[in-house]
Amino acid sequence: MIVLDQENKVFTLHTQNTTYQMKADSRRVLLHTYYGPRIGGGDLSRLIRYADRGFSPNPAEAGDDRTYSLDVLPQEYSGGGGGDFRLSAIQAELADGSQVVDLRFTGAEVRRGKYALEGLPAFFAGEEEAETLAVFLEDAVSHLRVELLYGVLEGCDLIARAVRVVNLGAEPVRLRQVASLCLDFQYAGLDLVTFDGRHAMERCPTRAPVRPGVQGVGSVRGASSHQHNPFVVLCEQDAGEDHGLCYGAMLLYSGNFKAEVERSQFDGVRLVMGIHPQHFCWTLEPGASFTAPEAALVCSPDGLGQMSRRFHRAIRAHLLRDPLEGRRKPVLINSWEAAYFGFDSEKLVRLAKEAAALGVELFVLDDGWFGERNDDRRGLGDWWVNEEKLPGGLEPLVERIRALGMEFGIWVEPEMVNEDSRLYREHPDWALVPAGRMPTRGRSQLVLDFSRAEVRDHIYEALRPVLSCPGLSYVKWDMNRSLTEVWSAALPPERQGEVYHRFVLGVYDLLERVRRDFPHLLVEGCCGGGGRFDGGMLYHTPQIWCSDNTDAVDRLRIQYGTSFCYPPCTMGAHVSKVPNEQTGRTVSLDTRGIVAMSGAFGYEMDLGELDGEEKEQVKEQTAFYMEHFELIQQGDHYRLSDPFQDGPYTAWAHVSPDGREALVCVVTGCVHAAAPFRALRLKGLDPRASYRVNGGEERWPGDVLMAAGYPLPMSMGDYRSMRLYLEAE
Ligand code: GLA
């Protein structure tokens, strides 16, 4: 619910459990007055105190009032170059070269439904499910107008935000930064949690108190990156899974981003998040507008677990555009770790046959099927079928796979080109690199200039016959290097600062075309595993290959970190062979199954190499997943321990929203002799219900399971697993 008090210029956004408020004061400065647990309302600017602070200057219209300084006030969207020395949300270079943006309130309105953003991912909602608040600010000298959009998804406790800048002046303006979100906290004492890592070890949480000055994370790699995720948390310093005030902020963007936090001299905290200003400069001609990507906020008064579950629900219901619309996703087998580049039709059909017999439903042909792609040094860009490997093209293979009762999927990497390819030989100027420079290579490949429509059109036309292949139901969309030497032959020098962003818009454009023309295709995102795991990609690809690391023990950490924002159904997770290709570790098939099942489940190995007993296990796993798909994919996710603590076990649970059904998963750590007894306290159950355990005779009361816990058996061997399926009677 949005309460618009036009007289006092107080604008209050209520979700079911939270309240957010801003107020334009008498000088038309838009102040941020509150974000936290839901409260009645009223004018919360009473929370703001004024004092004469040394070296915090006063705007002209404050006259003699030295207690009024933008440097001290909590602001809704900070300008730049004026009297606020904290992080700016917007930076611009005006026609006269000055860099002052002084934003003042000019109006506000409420609209039914949730706004959409052209060409950019955004949460969506029905007319009845959401409202939009639009607040208008303007710089009186340059006539730069900033529209702040707030989409209130009341039932999900999520507030989406976007920013549109319009040049109402007569001269061009160069935008150096347009943040998607600025959030001020007057009274701080907060921790910042970021999700960091590297290729094959993504999204490991890092938590530290917000210290004086600026700290933050970002990416200038052209993709949101393996190294830092465009999702951050600010929380009270004693906040844990189940208590404490927490704020999560996600950016729905797949390119360069920056999330910065500043603790001010008076211990206020400001979060600013958006496109990374480095390499960014957007020329805004008179009359033109620029839209910053969407950001989304969730506040949870009751800990990090509740914050995550709120994000999960909102993402599942209002961001993912899943062609299966809630229907069960097929269990898949991916050819990569089973065959790499060394396959022909016969080998693929054999892999598929083995998998089909064990209940696997979708066969995904990974890299290596096109052009001269016999290794990872050549072929990208040549999206025609390599008939030496697949005689007669894709169709005969697909028919044989379909005859096994399986669906068929395929891998592509549309944004890339190898120099050793027909495409590159014909269009060397389509790769990103300024004339006269040698390009930096990554995985022996270059990046196509997706800011150019003709490049995208060509790739789309080349892919179209593949996407049109009868029987194709799934596509894995990969992206295997970072962007360097970013420069487009199609743009003038003064617009080169737009290329990174135009590249991302180009990727979204192509994905949108695929969706428009092939709405039945389930597209899984990938970027060397989880290098582009963000809300922007999730809008286009409802699941993303979580990491190239398929080791179950490392996956405990990766999936744990990923779950702070993103729901399990978005995390591609496969059982692969042992010893694991990335770590050399051997973990039981049971454990590999339990871990992979807590994501978008599949296999990535030659199942024909398993012995009879293991094959029976795979059959049991696929059958169990199919039976409990909804609980695992749509249930509430509870993190029951932190795998980074290297404790005796890692545990988590999927619980139905009514608490009547739960799947509890436990993976033990390294065993030690004569280990102490342990009980695992569960969460989210119905305290009054009696639960049947694993379909057997055992019964446990919900209150006991939550208050005292379930006693864990002693483990023999490292990384063993246990599954408790609980049903209330
Ligand atoms: C990336 C992906 C892998 C696989 C290979 C193929 O590394 O993350 O899953 O598809 O590319 O080259």
Side-chain angles (χ1 to χ4, degrees):
M1 186 180 44
I2 299 176
V3 182
L4 200 62
D5 175 356
Q6 292 282 23
E7 200 188 324
N8 298 305
K9 301 192 182 63
V10 175
F11 315 116
T12 310
L13 316 175
H14 291 294
T15 69
Q16 212 169 307
N17 298 292
T18 66
T19 297
Y20 185 110
Q21 194 190 76
M22 67 201 85
K23 174 192 167 103
D25 70 8
S26 57
R27 296 171 175 116
R28 294 185 295 112
V29 170
L30 189 62
L31 303 176
H32 176 76
T33 56
Y34 178 78
Y35 186 29
R38 183 160 176 159
I39 49 177
D43 180 348
L44 295 166
S45 63
R46 64 171 64 174
L47 293 167
I48 300 173
R49 311 266 298 274
Y50 295 82
D52 180 357
R53 304 285 201 179
F55 286 83
S56 289
N58 321 106
E61 68 270 44
D64 281 342
D65 182 1
R66 290 212 210 152
T67 67
Y68 190 87
S69 173
L70 298 183
D71 198 27
V72 182
L73 292 168
Q75 301 205 45
E76 191 55 33
Y77 195 76
S78 53
D84 182 355
F85 302 100
R86 295 165 294 173
L87 293 168
S88 301
I90 184 166
Q91 295 181 59
E93 202 180 298
L94 308 180
D96 64 359
S98 64
Q99 298 188 14
V100 182
V101 183
D102 183 5
L103 297 171
R104 299 300 165 108
F105 174 82
T106 58
E109 64 190 41
V110 175
R111 302 170 189 157
R112 263 165 68 90
K114 154 95 180 39
Y115 65 83
L117 302 174
E118 212 191 315
L120 281 166
F123 280 90
F124 52 82
E127 285 269 291
E128 303 304 320
E129 291 173 308
E131 283 177 295
T132 295
L133 169 70
V135 182
F136 306 106
L137 309 174
E138 203 173 310
D139 177 66
V141 174
S142 64
H143 300 292
L144 210 53
R145 176 161 124 150
V146 172
E147 301 177 8
L148 304 178
L149 298 169
Y150 299 80
V152 181
L153 272 68
E154 189 169 343
C156 292
D157 287 311
L158 181 130
I159 297 174
R161 294 177 58 167
V163 177
R164 215 163 77 94
V165 183
V166 190
N167 184 359
L168 299 177
E171 306 281 352
V173 170
R174 286 158 73 81
L175 297 173
R176 298 263 175 204
Q177 180 193 5
V178 183
S180 301
L181 172 139
C182 171
L183 184 62
D184 268 0
F185 299 87
Q186 270 203 95
Y187 307 104
L190 296 173
D191 276 358
L192 170 67
V193 191
T194 56
F195 297 85
D196 316 305
R198 53 195 184 271
H199 174 235
M201 207 61 224
E202 299 89 343
R203 290 173 296 287
C204 307
T206 312
R207 180 168 173 171
V210 177
R211 56 175 175 72
V214 176
Q215 55 248 254
V217 293
S219 165
V220 287
R221 293 168 177 269
S224 48
S225 92
H226 300 86
Q227 286 72 15
H228 303 287
N229 196 260
F231 170 70
V232 299
V233 175
L234 284 166
C235 58
E236 286 179 333
Q237 288 180 334
D238 62 351
E241 279 294 319
D242 305 306
H243 65 275
L245 190 54
C246 306
Y247 300 88
M250 72 185 281
L251 184 68
L252 285 72
Y253 191 58
S254 312
N256 292 351
F257 78 95
K258 191 163 181 176
E260 279 190 328
V261 170
E262 178 171 5
R263 187 165 126 201
S264 75
Q265 53 186 333
F266 306 115
D267 283 346
V269 168
R270 172 172 293 171
L271 167 66
V272 171
M273 200 168 179
I275 292 180
H276 203 303
Q278 189 173 321
H279 305 306
F280 177 83
C281 182
W282 194 279
T283 303
L284 207 57
E285 296 293 340
S289 70
F290 175 83
T291 305
E294 179 163 271
L297 288 169
V298 160
C299 165
S300 154
D302 297 311
L304 296 157
Q306 186 188 64
M307 174 203 73
S308 297
R309 287 185 290 281
R310 287 183 178 169
F311 272 114
H312 293 182
R313 283 193 207 142
I315 289 172
R316 283 195 307 252
H318 299 284
L319 184 63
L320 305 181
R321 300 178 299 168
D322 186 344
L324 297 172
E325 281 177 5
R327 278 175 288 141
R328 188 172 64 71
K329 281 187 197 159
V331 176
L332 68 79
I333 181 142
N334 178 294
S335 69
W336 182 239
E337 288 197 19
Y340 294 109
F341 295 102
F343 58 80
D344 58 16
S345 308
E346 296 315 311
K347 178 160 184 183
L348 297 177
V349 172
R350 187 184 62 71
L351 287 173
K353 203 183 244 168
E354 295 282 0
L358 306 181
V360 177
E361 303 163 298
L362 164 65
F363 181 81
V364 179
L365 172 53
D366 208 278
D367 197 353
W369 58 267
F370 52 89
E372 304 291 327
R373 186 79 169 164
N374 297 318
D375 55 46
D376 65 7
R377 295 174 182 278
R378 67 206 82 241
L380 286 174
D382 293 344
W383 299 111
W384 35 269
V385 180
N386 180 326
E387 296 216 16
E388 275 170 35
K389 289 181 183 175
L390 308 177
L394 278 183
E395 285 181 30
L397 173 68
V398 179
E399 267 168 40
R400 291 175 71 189
I401 303 280
R402 304 262 300 164
L404 298 169
M406 291 181 111
E407 295 175 38
F408 183 76
I410 204 156
W411 178 97
V412 293
E413 194 179 351
E415 298 149 65
M416 299 291 158
V417 67
N418 285 115
E419 286 148 288
D420 188 356
S421 69
R422 198 188 282 174
L423 180 73
Y424 186 77
R425 282 185 281 276
E426 285 171 10
H427 298 285
D429 63 319
W430 282 6
L432 291 172
V433 61
R437 279 191 195 276
M438 294 297 287
T440 303
R441 297 188 186 98
R443 208 193 188 197
S444 306
Q445 62 200 52
L446 306 184
V447 185
L448 288 171
D449 183 355
F450 261 38
S451 72
R452 289 167 71 172
E454 72 272 30
V455 177
R456 301 198 300 271
D457 290 347
H458 176 96
I459 294 295
Y460 191 55
E461 288 315 316
L463 286 174
R464 191 193 288 277
V466 179
L467 302 178
S468 314
C469 175
L472 184 78
S473 64
Y474 164 104
V475 171
K476 178 174 168 188
W477 182 297
D478 211 339
M479 194 268 193
N480 278 315
R481 62 158 289 179
S482 305
L483 274 56
T484 56
E485 287 89 22
V486 172
W487 184 88
S488 174
L491 288 172
E494 67 278 11
R495 288 200 171 265
Q496 293 298 328
E498 301 177 12
V499 183
Y500 274 103
H501 182 54
R502 288 186 185 275
F503 177 91
V504 178
L505 295 177
V507 174
Y508 293 153
D509 168 62
L510 205 63
L511 280 159
E512 198 59 43
R513 279 199 243 177
V514 171
R515 187 184 148 76
R516 182 195 62 203
D517 297 346
F518 304 95
H520 62 286
L521 288 179
L522 171 62
V523 184
E524 174 159 346
C526 180
C527 173
R532 204 160 57 175
F533 203 121
D534 55 67
M537 283 310 282
L538 283 178
Y539 179 71
H540 292 284
T541 63
Q543 63 192 49
I544 297 178
W545 183 225
C546 201
S547 177
D548 274 348
N549 187 344
T550 55
D551 174 80
V553 176
D554 277 356
R555 273 296 184 117
L556 290 173
R557 294 182 168 200
I558 297 166
Q559 293 174 200
Y560 167 88
T562 306
S563 79
F564 278 80
C565 181
Y566 311 102
C569 66
T570 62
M571 303 180 206
H574 300 166
V575 173
S576 64
K577 69 173 168 235
V578 287
N580 181 268
E581 298 265 308
Q582 292 81 31
T583 60
R585 188 168 14 229
T586 295
V587 173
S588 74
L589 183 55
D590 258 350
T591 298
R592 282 177 279 153
I594 277 196
V595 175
M597 236 179 252
S598 285
F601 182 48
Y603 292 83
E604 186 152 343
M605 62 193 292
D606 184 348
L607 291 172
E609 287 174 0
L610 299 181
D611 65 26
E613 197 183 315
E614 289 170 323
K615 284 185 181 170
E616 286 308 310
Q617 262 177 287
V618 170
K619 271 193 202 164
E620 192 275 334
Q621 287 174 347
T622 53
F624 185 89
Y625 185 70
M626 289 176 197
E627 192 184 340
H628 300 290
F629 173 82
E630 210 178 310
L631 178 62
I632 299 173
Q633 298 284 296
Q634 307 291 332
D636 286 336
H637 186 69
Y638 287 84
R639 293 179 291 265
L640 302 176
S641 69
D642 174 357
F644 288 88
Q645 298 302 319
D646 279 327
Y649 60 83
T650 296
W652 66 98
H654 310 277
V655 183
S656 61
D658 62 3
R660 306 284 297 167
E661 203 191 349
L663 176 67
V664 182
C665 306
V666 183
V667 175
T668 63
C670 258
V671 284
H672 300 285
F677 296 120
R678 311 218 176 246
L680 175 65
R681 288 218 292 256
L682 305 186
K683 296 175 186 175
L685 303 180
D686 177 350
R688 289 172 304 277
S690 166
Y691 288 87
R692 179 177 185 187
V693 180
N694 288 334
E697 296 302 312
E698 201 181 342
R699 303 281 186 282
W700 281 80
D703 54 358
V704 173
L705 287 172
M706 291 196 289
Y710 184 85
L712 294 175
M714 302 283 281
S715 172
M716 289 300 281
D718 295 341
Y719 306 118
R720 294 304 165 97
S721 53
M722 189 184 93
R723 192 168 74 191
L724 285 181
Y725 174 63
L726 305 175
E727 281 167 291
E729 291 186 326

